[in-house]
C-alpha cells in the first residue's frame, strides 16, 4: 500500500496538540477570545496543511 502522507503526517498530531493545549489552558487561566481563537486556528491550520502540502517535483530538463 502506497503511503499517502509521508513527512507531512506529523503535522496532524502537532495540530491536535495545539488544540488540546488551548482547551487545557482556557480551563486553567482566563484567556482572551482572540488568543484562544488564534491558537485554535493554528491547530486547525496545521492539520489542514498536512492534506494540502504535496512534495513539489523538480522540472525535468530536456
Amino acid at each position: 500500500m502506497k503511503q499517502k502522507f509521508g513527512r507531512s503526517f506529523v503535522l496532524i498530531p502537532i495540530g491536535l496538540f495545539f488544540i488540546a493545549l488551548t482547551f487545557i489552558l482556557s480551563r486553567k487561566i482566563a484567556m482572551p477570545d482572540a488568543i484562544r481563537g488564534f491558537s485554535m486556528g493554528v491547530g486547525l491550520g496545521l492539520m489542514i496543511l498536512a492534506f494540502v502540502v504535496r512534495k513539489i517535483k523538480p522540472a525535468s530538463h530536456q
Side-chain angles (χ1 to χ4, degrees), residues 3 46 51:
Q3 195 175 23
L46 284 172
F51 294 106

Side-chain angles (χ1 to χ4, degrees), residues 11-25:
L11 293 175
I12 295 173
I14 293 173
L16 287 172
F17 176 74
F18 268 101
I19 292 173
L21 187 65
T22 301
F23 281 128
I24 292 169
L25 287 177

Side-chain angles (χ1 to χ4, degrees), residues 1 6 17 19-20 40 44-46 50 53 59:
M1 187 168 156
F17 176 74
I19 292 173
M40 291 279 283
L44 285 173
L46 284 172
V53 173

Side-chain angles (χ1 to χ4, degrees), residues 18-41:
F18 268 101
I19 292 173
L21 187 65
T22 301
F23 281 128
I24 292 169
L25 287 177
S26 67
R27 296 281 298 203
K28 299 292 181 186
I29 61 173
M31 291 176 61
D33 287 339
I35 301 296
R36 185 176 179 203
F38 178 74
S39 58
M40 291 279 283

Side-chain angles (χ1 to χ4, degrees), residues 2 4 8 14 35 56 60:
K2 188 174 181 181
K4 187 175 182 180
S8 64
I14 293 173
I35 301 296
I56 299 173
S60 60

